[in-house]
Amino acid sequence: MNKVEVYNSDYTKLNHAYIEIYQSYEKLIECRDADDEILTVLESILRVFNPALDKIKSEMTVKTRYKEEPQMAVSGADGGAAASSGGSHKNDGPRILKGNFTGE
């Protein structure tokens, strides 16, 4: 196994861990009796973790599979419907859908 295979398989888990740490940090900031040492540690983790996740994401490979079915192939007339339903145009290349998975 090489690093890109690990990145591909574990990025989602690492990103989820980042989100969980961030949400806990956010709640602790609001506490009157928050422990400054814990807040400092969590903040340090988040500051280092964020660029590491960006680097991992940039080195990941994108693997997509398309199953071409007659009802999924569309003409240029209703192209918007195909993109939103996951279909692809016959003459266009693959589409990569991006989303905000951090909940922000």
Side-chain angles (χ1 to χ4, degrees), residues 4 6 8-9 17 24 38 53 55 66 69 79-81 88 93 101-102:
V4 173
V6 173
N8 289 340
S9 67
S24 293
I38 297 298
L53 284 173
K55 181 172 171 69
Y66 289 94
E69 296 179 11
S88 63
F101 301 108
T102 62

Side-chain angles (χ1 to χ4, degrees), residues 10 21 32 80 88 98 103:
D10 290 3
I21 293 168
R32 282 186 256 168
S88 63
K98 298 179 182 177

Side-chain angles (χ1 to χ4, degrees), residues 5-90:
E5 291 170 333
V6 173
Y7 292 168
N8 289 340
S9 67
D10 290 3
Y11 174 79
T12 303
K13 294 179 223 172
L14 292 169
N15 191 50
H16 181 72
Y18 176 88
I19 292 167
E20 293 294 324
I21 293 168
Y22 179 80
Q23 289 173 344
S24 293
Y25 174 76
E26 217 173 22
K27 289 181 206 172
L28 282 171
I29 287 176
E30 301 298 322
C31 296
R32 282 186 256 168
D33 62 343
D35 186 330
D36 286 336
E37 184 178 354
I38 297 298
L39 286 174
T40 301
V41 169
L42 292 176
E43 182 180 340
S44 298
I45 291 168
L46 293 169
R47 284 182 191 260
V48 174
F49 209 176
N50 191 34
L53 284 173
D54 290 343
K55 181 172 171 69
I56 289 170
K57 189 175 182 180
S58 73
E59 293 186 24
M60 289 171 62
T61 58
V62 178
K63 296 179 182 179
T64 56
R65 293 183 186 175
Y66 289 94
K67 182 176 180 182
E68 193 66 36
E69 296 179 11
Q71 63 267 38
M72 295 300 281
V74 294
S75 66
D78 60 296
S84 64
S85 67
S88 63
H89 294 280
K90 286 182 180 178

